[in-house]
Amino acid sequence: MTLNQLVLRSMRKNAKNYYLYVFALIFSVTLYYSFVTLQYNPAITKEIGNGMTATILKAASYLLLFIVIFFVLYANKLFMNRRSKEIGLYQLVGMPKGLVTRLIAIENIILWLGAIILGVFMGFITSRIFVMILLKIIEKDAFVELSFSIEALLRTVIVFLLLLMVVILQTAMRIRRVSLLSLITTTVVADEKVKKFNAFQMILGFIGLVFIGYGYYLSTTLLDLLDDPTLTPDKMLIQLLLILTLTIGGTYFVFRFSVALILNMVRKSKKGLMSVADVLSLSTIMHRMKSSAMSLTTITILSATTLGILTLAYISYYSADAMAQDSVSYDYVMYEDTGFDLIDEFDKEGIQYTRHDLDLLAVQADVRPLLLKEFALKKDVSTLLTVQVVSQKDIQNKLPNLQLKEDEGYIVGYDSLSAENIRLESEKPIQFITSTGTDEIFITEVTEESLVPNYHNYNFITVIVSDFYFQKLLHDPLNENQKIVGMELKEKDQLKKAEEVFEENKVSVEIPYPSGLATKTVSVESQEIYRLDILNSFGLTIFISGFLGLAFLIATGSILYFKQMSEADEEKGAYTILRKMGFTTNEIMKGIRRKQLFNFGFPLLIGLSHSYFAVKAGWVFFGTELVAPLLITMSIYIILYSIFAILSAGYYRKVVENAF
């Protein structure tokens, strides 16, 4: 038999094993080509630009390349494990290691070339879908054609041919270094005997839990570091590295020692009376924990990273409306005497609106009396700030039930970012700095509603005061006055028409900041334009995060699925014995489902916990909403991840049913 005939026969014989490997290859090529081709797509170049966009996409492609390499090499490792006995038999019948290596190399070349061709074709088809999704995120209307990129094809072919060379080299080194006996017995050797745990292992298991807990605690103090006057970039970097080290190290210790210790205690509590479900779940997990610890840790960290990035990106997208509302409180805002032609044009076009005239004051205030007790005691923190003041009359349309006495105030615009930096309480006084000294008014409530354009408040707070007190501040020479006009559309279905009029009539003017610190150029501001600018700024980031997140999810889920399939095939002999002893498929599957719940559920649970604390540490810099984006992202991730667990359980059932 010639080598070519042997290759063809081997490929037919291993078709059952190949489909997993081929899936990994085709999926990787498809994902990589469809992503790389985005930076050459005419629709993206036209609607978003080709400068910074191409740079960002190129940088993201390197992250995707890392995912692809990790996924392909791991899939190849599992594939070789499943064929180890076959490779050992080739050597047993007298084939030299060099010839076996050539046989496997030729098989890989055929598989990889086929996968590259199919993957590029599927990537060519799916790239249009990804472009449409990106344009949908940033709300751009454009016709997207199928676009074939030679540059993307060359990059994809070069990357995967280099990766093929790495795989062949990896395979050759394994065949040369591993003994014949170890090849034949690879799939039948237990990872670790179930044995008595010593005190050192128990301590390491406890240390793992402590590491994770302390890492979580440090993550909750990250924002507090911003108030530290001695903070340096190096200090922040050390804190971040410490959190990562504690969390990753603690996760490994938990999988390597804590889990096995807990399961060992559960096994002992059975006092030898273990059911078949207990044996198939507890004992199997404990046998494989030594080799599984690293892979489960890797999957957990990747899942946490993926979920964290997805959540932060979705927070930005989800918060776009709220952020636009916070910054531009009306549909359109005009400053001083600018932009009033827009009002005339709205009248001509029959666009219905409500006009609101506001006087805004920039007033120096000391907010120390408003601080929580522990923050008020920090003398090194400056609490003298410029706040924005508006009269109750001007805001009555948005707060019709608000009633203030002459010495009372009501704070709005105290958003999540402000709350993280300066902790304020209601039912305390605030001190205004006036030309005659200081004045105090009693703050009845502190809310995060943003009801006034944040021109004077530097994105901090606005204080609503009584009309009488506002007039007093208005005539104080220390305070600077700014007149604005807000317009709210009565019918939101006129927004598109209003935006067309706005684009034709918007004007710009330089307006000085309070106290003459600087100037800013403002136009007649549109809340809709501001919202679209946010989407344009974050849209590409959101898309890339979602794309890479999907890649991470499929890669980690597939790796777990492949691993469970390998374990199912290895354990087929045990299931045959159990079936001959009279146990039914459902009885055996009861224990297997427990094991699957651990293998998929436990890494997911820890990953969700890691991602929650990571997101909680810095979400305020990405948007205004946390709970809804977090719950939505986690729910979708859990559902998609569960699909792999269900597929894995289905494969186990087939193995058990065929075990005779």
Side-chain angles (χ1 to χ4, degrees):
M1 183 181 295
T2 65
L3 180 61
N4 291 336
Q5 291 175 325
L6 190 59
V7 168
L8 294 175
R9 176 172 293 188
S10 175
M11 293 184 70
R12 286 197 300 267
K13 178 178 175 292
N14 286 287
K16 179 182 177 182
N17 295 329
Y18 276 131
Y19 81 90
L20 286 176
Y21 191 46
V22 171
F23 164 78
L25 294 177
I26 294 176
F27 166 75
S28 300
V29 175
T30 300
L31 208 61
Y32 188 78
Y33 176 80
S34 60
F35 188 83
V36 171
T37 196
L38 292 178
Q39 56 191 281
Y40 305 106
N41 190 284
I44 291 181
T45 303
K46 178 182 177 181
E47 297 295 333
I48 305 178
N50 58 1
M52 184 60 69
T53 300
T55 302
I56 295 173
L57 287 172
K58 188 175 182 180
S61 69
Y62 291 122
L63 291 176
L64 181 60
L65 182 59
F66 165 77
I67 302 172
V68 167
I69 292 174
F70 172 77
F71 183 42
V72 170
L73 292 183
Y74 197 94
N76 181 65
K77 178 184 175 182
L78 292 177
F79 176 63
M80 291 302 297
N81 283 342
R82 300 185 76 176
R83 297 192 62 190
S84 60
K85 183 180 292 187
E86 176 192 350
I87 295 172
L89 290 174
Y90 283 145
Q91 296 184 38
L92 189 63
V93 298
M95 287 182 64
K97 288 186 176 182
L99 186 59
V100 176
T101 302
R102 286 173 57 194
L103 185 148
I104 302 298
I106 293 173
E107 289 183 14
N108 269 309
I109 291 171
I110 294 172
L111 290 176
W112 279 67
L113 290 178
I116 290 173
I117 293 171
L118 287 175
V120 168
F121 175 74
M122 293 179 65
F124 171 67
I125 301 298
T126 57
S127 62
R128 181 172 183 265
I129 298 174
F130 290 127
V131 174
M132 293 171 65
I133 292 173
L134 174 56
L135 295 179
K136 181 69 175 179
I137 290 175
I138 61 177
E139 298 187 10
K140 296 281 188 180
D141 292 326
F143 179 73
V144 181
E145 298 179 344
L146 279 173
S147 175
F148 184 78
S149 169
I150 298 297
E151 294 91 342
L153 174 63
L154 290 175
R155 282 181 60 181
T156 303
V157 171
I158 291 172
V159 164
F160 281 90
L161 287 181
L162 290 174
L163 194 53
L164 171 60
M165 294 173 62
V166 173
V167 167
I168 292 175
L169 182 62
Q170 181 188 43
T171 303
M173 292 175 63
R174 175 170 179 169
I175 293 174
R176 288 185 177 276
R177 290 181 179 180
V178 179
S179 67
L180 175 60
L181 181 62
S182 61
L183 281 170
I184 295 177
T185 59
T186 294
T187 61
V188 296
V189 177
D191 291 334
E192 183 178 275
K193 294 181 179 179
V194 179
K195 57 186 178 181
K196 182 178 180 180
F197 280 79
N198 56 44
F200 180 68
Q201 290 173 313
M202 294 174 65
I203 292 172
L204 289 178
F206 178 73
I207 288 176
L209 297 174
V210 172
F211 275 8
I212 292 177
Y214 189 57
Y216 287 170
Y217 167 74
L218 290 179
S219 71
T220 62
T221 64
L222 271 179
L223 288 177
D224 295 337
L225 287 178
L226 299 177
D227 297 328
D228 186 354
T230 64
L231 178 66
T232 62
D234 290 341
K235 189 174 181 180
M236 177 64 78
L237 179 61
I238 290 172
Q239 180 90 332
L240 291 172
L241 291 176
L242 181 59
I243 292 172
L244 286 174
T245 302
L246 289 170
T247 305
I248 295 174
T251 303
Y252 176 76
F253 281 1
V254 164
F255 281 116
R256 181 65 183 87
F257 301 107
S258 303
V259 171
L261 176 61
I262 294 171
L263 294 181
N264 194 47
M265 293 171 62
V266 173
R267 184 175 63 87
K268 284 186 176 182
S269 68
K270 301 288 184 178
K271 297 180 180 179
L273 301 176
M274 295 180 67
S275 65
V276 66
D278 295 330
V279 173
L280 290 173
S281 55
L282 296 178
S283 299
T284 306
I285 294 170
M286 292 173 68
H287 270 294
R288 296 183 180 275
M289 189 47 62
K290 182 177 180 180
S291 64
S292 298
M294 183 56 72
S295 61
L296 291 177
T297 300
T298 303
I299 289 170
T300 299
I301 298 302
L302 289 177
S303 297
T305 304
T306 302
L307 195 52
I309 293 172
L310 283 172
T311 303
L312 291 175
Y314 189 53
I315 284 173
S316 300
Y317 182 76
Y318 191 89
S319 302
D321 289 351
M323 292 168 69
Q325 174 67 33
D326 288 348
S327 297
V328 185
S329 305
Y330 299 92
D331 289 324
Y332 300 94
V333 176
M334 288 153 284
Y335 296 90
E336 294 290 355
D337 297 324
T338 63
F340 286 91
D341 289 344
L342 183 64
I343 297 177
D344 297 334
E345 292 299 322
F346 275 11
D347 292 337
K348 291 179 184 178
E349 296 293 336
I351 298 173
Q352 302 297 312
Y353 61 88
T354 302
R355 174 173 173 166
H356 305 281
D357 292 88
L358 291 88
D359 276 329
L360 304 181
L361 286 179
V363 182
Q364 289 287 309
D366 189 350
V367 299
R368 188 175 295 276
L370 280 173
L371 296 177
L372 291 176
K373 185 176 180 181
E374 58 267 29
F375 291 92
L377 295 176
K378 296 181 178 180
K379 301 299 183 183
D380 57 335
V381 178
S382 175
T383 56
L384 191 62
L385 305 168
T386 298
V387 300
Q388 187 167 262
V389 179
V390 65
S391 70
Q392 179 183 343
K393 170 180 63 67
D394 287 348
I395 207 69
Q396 199 75 46
N397 62 300
K398 291 200 172 186
L399 293 172
N401 298 322
L402 178 64
Q403 297 295 327
L404 294 174
K405 298 178 182 178
E406 291 182 6
D407 60 346
E408 290 182 341
Y410 185 96
I411 288 179
V412 297
Y414 182 60
D415 59 18
S416 53
L417 182 57
S418 301
E420 290 292 342
N421 293 322
I422 300 179
R423 308 293 174 85
L424 303 181
E425 285 187 309
S426 59
E427 300 184 357
K428 287 184 176 181
I430 186 174
Q431 293 181 343
F432 289 124
I433 311 301
T434 67
S435 57
T436 59
T438 60
D439 252 359
E440 279 192 354
I441 65 169
F442 185 77
I443 300 300
T444 60
E445 192 169 349
V446 178
T447 70
E448 62 181 35
E449 296 176 279
S450 182
L451 307 176
V452 182
N454 57 11
Y455 170 70
H456 275 310
N457 67 354
Y458 303 104
N459 292 315
F460 184 45
I461 59 173
T462 297
V463 183
I464 303 172
V465 298
S466 65
D467 300 337
F468 175 83
Y469 193 79
F470 183 83
Q471 290 300 317
K472 179 181 176 181
L473 294 176
L474 181 63
H475 292 94
D476 193 308
L478 290 182
N479 303 327
E480 299 186 32
N481 182 27
Q482 174 73 49
K483 294 182 180 295
I484 69 169
V485 175
M487 297 170 60
E488 284 187 305
L489 298 179
K490 292 183 178 180
E491 302 291 338
K492 292 300 180 183
D493 57 1
Q494 290 188 313
L495 179 61
K496 184 176 180 180
K497 186 177 181 181
E499 283 299 307
E500 294 174 356
V501 176
F502 167 78
E503 286 295 330
E504 295 173 359
N505 294 274
K506 64 181 180 181
V507 295
S508 298
V509 64
E510 282 195 352
I511 298 178
Y513 273 115
S515 305
L517 295 177
T519 61
K520 75 170 183 177
T521 301
V522 297
S523 63
V524 179
E525 292 187 295
S526 163
Q527 187 182 112
E528 177 66 8
I529 293 297
Y530 194 93
R531 187 184 70 85
L532 292 176
D533 285 344
I534 293 174
L535 291 182
N536 282 332
S537 300
F538 290 102
L540 188 60
T541 304
I542 294 166
F543 172 78
I544 290 174
S545 301
F547 193 99
L548 295 180
L550 179 64
F552 266 120
L553 171 63
I554 295 177
T556 54
S558 297
I559 286 171
L560 268 178
Y561 176 56
F562 295 167
K563 193 172 186 301
Q564 294 305 303
M565 292 182 69
S566 297
E567 291 182 7
D569 291 336
E570 293 169 20
E571 296 165 1
K572 185 175 181 180
Y575 303 145
T576 301
I577 295 173
L578 291 173
R579 290 296 301 274
K580 289 181 177 179
M581 292 174 63
F583 291 101
T584 64
T585 299
N586 289 334
E587 288 173 331
I588 296 173
M589 285 302 301
K590 184 178 180 181
I592 292 174
R593 278 192 289 267
R594 289 184 188 177
K595 186 179 75 167
Q596 296 302 92
L597 183 62
F598 170 83
N599 287 328
F600 283 92
F602 198 59
L604 177 61
L605 181 64
I606 298 180
L608 291 173
S609 179
H610 288 353
S611 64
Y612 169 77
F613 281 94
V615 169
K616 192 72 168 59
W619 72 274
V620 292
F621 298 106
F622 292 84
T624 59
E625 306 290 332
L626 171 64
V627 177
L630 185 65
L631 292 178
I632 292 172
T633 307
M634 285 187 172
S635 299
I636 294 174
Y637 197 87
I638 291 171
I639 292 171
L640 294 176
Y641 209 76
S642 300
I643 293 174
F644 291 101
I646 294 171
L647 291 174
S648 178
Y651 186 82
Y652 262 98
R653 176 172 284 276
K654 290 180 180 178
V655 172
V656 173
E657 289 175 346
N658 296 327
F660 286 104

